Amino acid sequence: MTELIFKLKKAKKRRKNRAITAMVIMTLIILILIGLSLYMGNTIYSPKIVWRVLSGENIKGATYAIKSIRLPRLFAGIFAGIAFGMGGFVFQTMLRNHLASPDIIGITSGSGAVAVICILIFKVSGFSASAFSVIGGLSITVLIFILASWKGFSNERMILIGIGMQAIMRAIINFVIQKASTYDVPAALRWLSGSLNGVAMSSIPIMSLTIALGAIVILVFEDQLKIIELGDESAVALGVKITRVRALLSVVSVIMLAFAIAVAGPIASVAFLSGPISSKITGKSQANAGAAALVGIILILASDLTGQFALGSRFPVGVVTGLLGTPYLLYLLITMNRKNKI
Amino acid sequence: MKNKRVVVGFVISTISLFLCVIFSLAIGARYVPIADVISAIKDKSIETFDAIVVRERIPRTIFSLMTGAALGLAGVLMQSITRNPIADPSILGVNSGAAFFVVCGIAFFNISTAYEYIVLAMLGAAVTAVFVYGIGSVGRGGATPIKLALAGTAAATALSSLTSIIMMPKDRVMDSFRFWQIGSVSGANYEKIIVFIPFLLAGIVFSILLSSHLNILALGDDKATGLGIKPVQIRLFSAIAGVFLCGAATALAGPIGFVGLMVPHMMRLLFTNDMRVLVPMSALGGAIYLTFSDIIGRILGGIGELEVGIVTAILGGPIFIIIAMKAKVKSL
């Protein structure tokens, strides 16, 4: 008996070690990507110059390129990665379905539609655009939940309703783009597919603060989220107030997503991919929001570098991530079919 | 009883069709009184400004009637052969497939004529339809609505990413694509109508010929085979007719969603499940619905107009959601 417990403990420790190693490696990868993002660009500055600029020295050309272009871009990428990674993970875990990520069930397109209206029609951007897209995203989420639980909640129904919602939101976005002047359109299209181009330093503080706070809340409540994943009944038995935790986590994730969207646009597929990839890497029992955030950051930074430098012409990050997401969605469909889960 | 209902419904639809045509000619950036509309059509010699405006609106009206009929027919065919309540070109990702091929055409081959658009859009529609349906029906249980919808979303995401990759470096492509992509009947002219006619006619003839076979097919493949019908053949012909119709409509008008989804459902609700009634009524209903949406777009959009593809999506999205809400969980 004691031997069995000993073995189980050992196995648990091994799994935990694996997860920790994985997260350390991911952090290293992120550091490399950060270095590359600062190093590469129209002009390649040597690491020494990058370092001198970062430590406050003023070098003609380099200071501008790094401080006003590359740094905001990098920050936006990192925090968007956290927001999409964690937001996706929370929804997927809470609804116990990998397909139920915010970008498939229409939440991101809700925020996106509001943000487009703010930016193109009312010409407001920055904090107020973010605030409005938070409201847009939240209302769409609430609406989808209400509609899906009309005659007893079902995940499948929610996904279908979300897809319908997405169609309506896309129509609204198209409408706004059509009304916009030709001059604004390329920028709007780029933003819509998710882009880190031209992110201004002024939009970074609020975005990073909100997303960081949200991340802390999610990490604090993560244990309860995991209990909810076990099933509503077990969660109640273990003393988790499910409705309250669910509402809190949804609101926090939607706020994080909306702030990321207002700055970087609805970067396709990151929310959808981060959770499943991170749980493959850390092992299913050790899946956690932190790992999902790390994967989100890696996906965005790596795709942004790819979009900028690897494809000949410069593409926004969302086009690259959109391409990444599709094979995975198809793979998921086929494996879920095999397990007869849908 | 049922026959009476069909006759009454047919009469009402014809009257609404007529009203839609009249209003479509009368309403727009400049409102023309209905009496003037009628006299402008009757008497070709009137040369007032109003009369010229009305005549300018004629091709647009004809074109929206034709596009609507084609999409309604395509929808009823697709829903019937897939036995799936949500089969619609926009849900199945077929529109994005057509769009991708057209963008490739604009970017690489400088296409500009209506025929080239049609051929490419049709190819794209056919390839995507086969692909999505294939993926959606892997595994046990065949192609359930949820699997089809997800496969369609997946394909649409991929195709729109690819479309962006081709389009973004080229401003010229982006500009001509931006207007095509929304789906509109405002660019109608007689040239487009003439190109469209053979496709529409072929589609109508095909679907009417097939309708009684599709009725039998609805009983299930085994019974249909027992009754001397070849299910695979019927499905194939219906799919070809559907792709013809929605490919041509998409090529000329751009992707217009939800007409093919909504109209057959409404008609089924109003009349019967009998395909022999459903097929012609869906064509009629599609024509009415699209023209009606176009009129709404002109009223709501003011001088700038709201393109019809946007109106149909905003009206049709809620209907799709209602269908999803009503569906039994098991059948998802």
Side-chain angles (χ1 to χ4, degrees):
Chain A
M1 194 63 195
T2 39
E3 202 179 328
L4 181 67
I5 291 175
F6 183 69
K7 264 189 187 164
L8 283 175
K9 272 191 178 161
K10 208 172 161 192
K12 194 180 170 192
K13 203 172 172 200
R14 207 175 329 129
R15 282 201 296 270
K16 199 157 191 182
N17 281 340
R18 175 182 159 193
I20 291 172
T21 326
M23 286 174 71
V24 169
I25 293 175
M26 282 196 279
T27 316
L28 287 177
I29 295 177
I30 290 175
L31 288 176
I32 295 172
L33 288 171
I34 288 177
L36 280 176
S37 306
L38 291 174
Y39 169 69
M40 286 167 79
N42 275 342
T43 326
I44 291 178
Y45 296 108
S46 69
K48 209 172 157 194
I49 292 183
V50 173
W51 180 250
R52 275 163 62 197
V53 168
L54 287 182
S55 52
E57 210 172 311
N58 208 342
I59 301 167
K60 204 182 161 198
T63 301
Y64 174 78
I66 292 175
K67 281 205 167 161
S68 331
I69 297 177
R70 291 183 203 173
L71 264 187
R73 185 181 192 115
L74 177 65
F75 278 123
I78 292 175
F79 283 100
I82 298 176
F84 284 111
M86 281 194 165
F89 178 79
V90 166
F91 273 97
Q92 286 165 336
T93 316
M94 208 159 57
L95 298 170
R96 298 176 209 113
N97 190 336
H98 282 188
L99 289 168
S101 93
D103 39 7
I104 292 190
I105 59 174
I107 295 171
T108 41
S109 46
S111 295
V114 178
V116 165
I117 292 173
C118 286
I119 294 170
L120 286 182
I121 294 186
F122 298 111
K123 308 278 177 204
V124 290
S125 49
F127 180 71
S128 29
S130 312
F132 281 119
S133 51
V134 169
I135 298 171
L138 280 178
S139 358
I140 293 291
T141 318
V142 171
L143 194 63
I144 294 173
F145 269 96
I146 292 176
L147 291 174
S149 40
W150 203 257
K151 286 188 204 158
F153 185 82
S154 98
N155 282 338
E156 284 79 9
R157 187 170 293 142
M158 199 186 74
I159 294 168
L160 273 185
I161 289 174
I163 290 175
M165 206 56 96
Q166 208 175 24
I168 302 175
M169 292 300 136
R170 283 225 186 105
I172 294 174
I173 291 174
N174 271 336
F175 165 61
V176 177
I177 288 191
Q178 186 206 357
K179 290 282 154 201
S181 62
T182 318
Y183 175 74
D184 290 335
V185 167
L189 277 183
R190 255 173 254 272
W191 179 86
L192 264 184
S193 53
S195 164
L196 300 173
N197 279 342
V199 173
M201 201 59 178
S202 57
S203 58
I204 297 296
I206 298 172
M207 177 204 186
S208 50
L209 199 68
T210 326
I211 292 176
L213 281 178
I216 293 171
V217 175
I218 290 179
L219 290 176
V220 168
F221 280 88
E222 197 177 4
D223 292 341
Q224 309 207 8
L225 175 68
K226 281 204 175 141
I227 297 175
I228 290 182
E229 196 189 7
L230 296 175
D232 288 1
E233 282 135 32
S234 350
V236 174
L238 287 166
V240 174
K241 298 192 171 91
I242 359 174
T243 323
R244 221 183 281 174
V245 174
R246 229 182 229 157
L248 175 81
L249 286 176
S250 320
V251 169
V252 170
S253 326
V254 173
I255 291 176
M256 289 168 77
L257 285 168
F259 271 88
I261 290 169
V263 172
I267 302 177
S269 300
V270 177
F272 168 63
L273 285 171
S274 300
I277 292 181
S278 73
S279 85
K280 278 257 152 59
I281 293 177
T282 58
K284 213 163 179 194
S285 61
Q286 297 290 327
N288 64 70
L294 293 179
V295 173
I297 299 173
I298 294 181
L299 282 178
I300 288 188
L301 291 184
S303 303
D304 191 36
L305 286 171
T306 315
Q308 285 188 78
F309 305 113
L311 299 176
S313 178
R314 290 193 159 207
F315 292 105
V317 57
V319 172
V320 182
T321 53
L323 284 181
L324 285 180
T326 311
Y328 182 72
L329 184 51
L330 297 179
Y331 161 79
L332 201 64
L333 270 175
I334 292 167
T335 50
M336 279 174 105
N337 270 335
R338 215 173 284 146
K339 289 182 206 152
N340 220 7
K341 251 188 161 174
I342 288 186
Chain B
M1 183 59 205
K2 239 175 193 169
N3 277 334
K4 202 178 154 196
R5 214 166 134 189
V6 171
V7 172
V8 172
F10 183 73
V11 171
I12 292 177
S13 310
T14 319
I15 294 172
S16 357
L17 186 72
F18 183 70
L19 286 178
C20 276
V21 170
I22 296 288
F23 280 115
S24 168
L25 293 175
I27 292 173
R30 180 188 172 89
Y31 175 73
V32 181
I34 289 173
D36 290 359
V37 170
I38 293 169
S39 60
I41 300 171
K42 266 190 191 161
D43 190 351
K44 291 254 160 69
S45 63
I46 301 178
E47 287 294 336
T48 59
F49 184 58
D50 277 356
I52 294 169
V53 169
V54 168
R55 277 180 212 131
E56 282 293 308
R57 285 183 192 150
I58 292 176
R60 177 177 187 159
T61 307
I62 298 176
F63 186 62
S64 71
L65 291 173
M66 293 170 73
T67 312
L71 290 172
L73 271 179
V76 79
L77 289 176
M78 282 191 182
Q79 287 173 13
S80 148
I81 54 176
T82 59
R83 260 186 238 143
N84 201 317
I86 60 145
D88 172 78
S90 58
I91 300 294
L92 295 184
V94 170
N95 282 343
S96 339
F100 175 63
F101 274 60
V102 168
V103 166
C104 286
I106 301 176
F108 300 131
F109 306 111
N110 276 320
I111 60 163
S112 55
T113 67
Y115 267 117
E116 291 166 332
Y117 269 76
I118 287 196
V119 169
L120 280 176
M122 228 176 271
L123 262 179
V127 170
T128 323
V130 170
F131 178 69
V132 168
Y133 195 76
I135 285 176
S137 51
V138 180
R140 263 190 287 166
T144 59
I146 182 101
K147 278 196 272 177
L148 271 189
L150 284 170
T153 317
T157 316
L159 287 166
S160 56
S161 279
L162 285 171
T163 307
S164 309
I165 285 194
I166 291 169
M167 181 177 66
M168 273 178 182
K170 300 175 178 122
D171 281 348
R172 175 185 63 81
V173 180
M174 205 190 300
D175 216 44
S176 49
F177 179 71
R178 163 189 171 205
F179 289 103
W180 180 82
Q181 173 221 21
I182 290 177
S184 113
V185 290
S186 58
N189 51 35
Y190 285 111
E191 187 210 344
K192 277 189 181 178
I193 293 175
I194 290 167
V195 173
F196 201 168
I197 287 175
F199 291 97
L200 183 61
L201 278 183
I204 291 177
V205 170
F206 250 95
S207 29
I208 288 178
L209 287 178
L210 286 164
S211 58
S212 57
H213 295 282
L214 287 171
N215 264 341
I216 302 175
L217 204 61
L219 300 172
D221 286 7
D222 297 343
K223 281 192 186 148
T225 317
L227 287 166
I229 300 256
K230 291 177 182 147
V232 179
Q233 234 169 33
I234 298 295
R235 281 218 179 86
L236 183 68
F237 283 129
S238 311
I240 292 173
V243 167
F244 252 62
L245 287 164
C246 81
T250 308
L252 294 174
I256 296 178
F258 291 100
V259 178
L261 175 81
M262 266 190 68
V263 171
H265 277 286
M266 304 252 283
M267 293 302 148
R268 212 169 283 142
L269 224 61
L270 290 174
F271 304 113
T272 129
N273 277 329
D274 188 346
M275 289 293 286
R276 284 170 302 177
V277 179
L278 218 50
V279 163
M281 287 315 284
S282 293
L284 199 58
I288 295 172
Y289 179 53
L290 197 79
T291 316
F292 175 74
S293 301
D294 188 35
I295 297 172
I296 297 281
R298 277 186 255 169
I299 294 173
L300 290 184
I303 296 173
E305 297 188 352
L306 210 57
E307 300 296 359
V308 67
I310 294 169
V311 181
T312 56
I314 290 173
L315 291 177
I319 305 276
F320 175 81
I321 291 176
I322 291 170
I323 296 169
M325 282 165 68
K326 276 173 75 182
K328 289 193 190 94
V329 176
K330 271 179 198 157
S331 70
L332 291 176

